[in-house]
């Protein structure tokens, strides 16, 4: 049997829910959040997230504060990857609490809920270091991407 495409993992409604969570989180912070979904990840997940980050041109933010939530759904792999501007300001375990918050949802297969919760928490955390500004631009797409 052919495997379902990653693109079809979420319903249209769920994709919109995730997008709306990103839009809401970005009203609190200048940080830019994206979600990328694949079926499998055949290499080191952090390395792979780094590649996706580059492919999506997520370095193109003024403050280098893009954050990628990368999910390989069939391999049950998940990485939160932040850009240099964030890493220079926060401790190494900055994303651990976000990850820990999301994993119980994923374990119950509540992927949309887990992502939306994580995105919200990431926005709250980023806000301390990268507050939202009046002249904010939406620098990176809020739509979930797939490959
Ligand atoms: Ca923005
Ligand atoms: Ca955005």
């Amino acid at each position: 049997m052919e495997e379902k495409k990653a693109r079809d993992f979420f319903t249209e409604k769920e994709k919109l829910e995730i997008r709306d969570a990103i839009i809401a989180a970005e009203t609190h912070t200048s940080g830019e959040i994206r979600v990328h979904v694949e079926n499998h990840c055949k290499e080191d997940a952090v390395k792979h997230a780094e590649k996706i980050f580059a492919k999506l041109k997520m370095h193109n933010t003024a403050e280098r504060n893009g954050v990628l939530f990368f999910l390989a759904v069939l391999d049950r792999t998940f990485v939160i990857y932040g850009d240099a501007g964030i890493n220079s300001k926060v401790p190494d375990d900055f994303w651990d609490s976000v990850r820990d918050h999301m994993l119980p949802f994923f374990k119950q297969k509540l992927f949309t809920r887990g992502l939306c919760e994580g995105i919200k928490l990431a926005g709250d955390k980023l806000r301390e270091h990268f507050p939202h500004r009046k002249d904010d631009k939406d620098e990176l797409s809020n739509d979930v991407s797939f490959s």
Side-chain angles (χ1 to χ4, degrees), residues 118-132:
I119 289 161
K120 181 174 185 298
L121 185 57
D124 289 344
K125 285 179 68 91
L126 282 169
R127 170 187 214 163
E128 289 172 39
H129 303 278
F130 300 96
H132 188 262

Side-chain angles (χ1 to χ4, degrees), residues 26 29-32 65 132 136-140:
E26 291 184 2
T29 176
S30 62
E32 290 283 334
N65 56 1
H132 188 262
D136 180 74
K137 288 193 190 86
D138 190 14
E139 295 173 285
L140 302 176

Side-chain angles (χ1 to χ4, degrees), residues 4-135:
K4 214 172 161 182
K5 290 200 174 70
R7 185 170 297 280
D8 300 325
F9 185 75
F10 294 107
T11 65
E12 290 307 315
K13 185 170 167 282
E14 288 171 332
K15 287 176 204 169
L16 292 179
E17 273 176 53
I18 297 166
R19 190 193 67 177
D20 287 347
I22 293 174
I23 293 170
E26 291 184 2
T27 62
H28 300 300
T29 176
S30 62
E32 290 283 334
I33 300 167
R34 288 204 66 158
V35 173
H36 185 85
V37 180
E38 292 184 6
N39 276 344
H40 299 287
C41 177
K42 301 207 189 302
E43 61 181 336
D44 177 75
V46 176
K47 233 182 223 165
H48 191 70
E50 197 178 349
K51 281 185 196 165
I52 299 290
F53 195 97
K55 201 170 134 194
L56 294 174
K57 299 193 170 30
M58 288 186 65
H59 298 99
N60 291 341
T61 57
E63 296 180 87
R64 295 292 300 269
N65 56 1
V67 183
L68 173 65
F69 288 70
F70 167 68
L71 196 59
V73 283
L74 298 183
D75 290 353
R76 299 273 181 264
T77 300
F78 168 56
V79 172
I80 304 174
Y81 186 86
D83 203 356
I86 300 170
N87 295 339
S88 68
K89 287 196 180 188
V90 306
D92 285 347
D93 62 356
F94 186 70
W95 298 116
D96 288 3
S97 60
V98 179
R99 190 187 166 84
D100 290 349
H101 185 62
M102 295 170 75
L103 286 180
F105 292 107
F106 286 180
K107 281 195 182 116
Q108 294 174 68
K109 298 195 187 334
L110 301 171
F111 294 101
T112 305
R113 175 89 196 278
L115 278 167
C116 290
E117 295 269 343
I119 289 161
K120 181 174 185 298
L121 185 57
D124 289 344
K125 285 179 68 91
L126 282 169
R127 170 187 214 163
E128 289 172 39
H129 303 278
F130 300 96
H132 188 262
R133 293 196 311 235
K134 250 197 239 146
D135 60 348

